[in-house]
Amino acid sequence: SAFYSSVVAGAQERTLVAVKPDGVQRRLVGDIIKRFEQRGFKLVGLKMLQASESTLADHYHDLRRKPFYPSLIRYMASGPVVAMVWEGHNVVRSSRFMVGDTDSAQAKPGTVRGDFSVHISRNVVHASDSVEVAEREISLWFHSAELVNWENSDQSDLYQV
Ligand code: UDP
Ligand code: MG
């Protein structure tokens, strides 16, 4: 409702989270979804796909001159990923905390990377790192018709409405 969207500041922020090919192979999809659900975020988009080189080149455009870029693209194209859009208050920043440090060796226990990975090159999951980047990544990975607008029945348990 208009009331809900005007009162709950930032509750409609969205971010892209993707389980990378290693996370899919290791059967971590369910665990990762569970963490975002139980935190209180709302799933508004979900699909499994094998990413094209062009999507990945666009997605990692800023890293194209890094030495690890070719192996990063090979890794990300090596199998299916599960791409998701999650919505909620401060979801971009909160997701980065939930995912943990880029370098798995630095990622804290309790984070996805800190619980499930040992090396930066196989760090299980992606999450957008700013609101602007999230908007760009969501439109890269999803058509707008693939995103579902729906209301949780328990909003007042999550937010002061
Ligand atoms: N990466 C890597 N080696 C590095 C730095 C990054 O393999 O030295 C990979 C890693 O999979 C990381 C991705 O490149 O998740 C994107 O790097 P970024 O710095 O954007 O980290 P993220 O936003 O994923 O935490
Ligand atoms: Mg990044």
Side-chain angles (χ1 to χ4, degrees):
S1 67
F3 177 75
Y4 157 74
S5 54
S6 62
V7 172
V8 184
Q12 279 157 346
E13 185 174 301
R14 290 178 170 183
T15 199
L16 181 86
V17 175
V19 184
K20 296 179 175 184
D22 54 328
V24 174
Q25 283 292 336
R26 294 177 55 205
R27 303 176 176 83
L28 296 173
V29 174
D31 183 281
I32 292 166
I33 290 175
K34 183 181 172 67
R35 289 168 184 240
F36 284 83
E37 279 195 317
Q38 73 187 9
R39 184 79 190 262
F41 294 123
K42 180 163 62 171
L43 185 61
V44 297
L46 174 71
K47 64 180 172 184
M48 182 181 232
L49 73 161
Q50 182 123 16
S52 68
E53 301 264 341
S54 76
T55 297
L56 293 170
D58 197 337
H59 181 77
Y60 284 127
H61 183 261
D62 291 350
L63 301 176
R64 66 195 180 283
R65 300 195 201 291
K66 302 283 186 190
F68 59 82
Y69 177 81
S71 53
L72 172 61
I73 299 298
R74 236 182 295 121
Y75 155 50
M76 290 296 293
S78 68
V81 304
V82 174
M84 299 176 267
V85 178
W86 289 92
E87 181 181 292
H89 176 68
N90 209 27
V91 67
V92 172
R93 197 140 189 270
S94 294
S95 299
R96 294 290 293 189
F97 284 128
M98 291 164 71
V99 161
D101 196 288
T102 302
D103 181 356
S104 301
Q106 300 294 326
K108 291 188 176 67
T111 66
V112 175
R113 289 165 173 169
D115 287 348
F116 297 125
S117 65
V118 289
H119 195 265
I120 193 168
S121 65
R122 296 289 184 271
N123 61 5
V124 176
V125 67
H126 169 82
S128 311
D129 70 2
S130 71
V131 172
E132 295 68 36
V133 168
E135 284 168 9
R136 191 180 85 79
E137 292 180 348
I138 290 167
S139 60
L140 174 65
W141 288 84
F142 285 87
H143 301 292
S144 57
E146 294 176 311
L147 301 177
V148 181
N149 293 304
W150 61 288
E151 298 221 358
N152 266 135
S153 56
D154 65 349
Q155 272 318 99
S156 65
D157 296 322
L158 298 170
Y159 300 102
Q160 184 173 54
V161 293

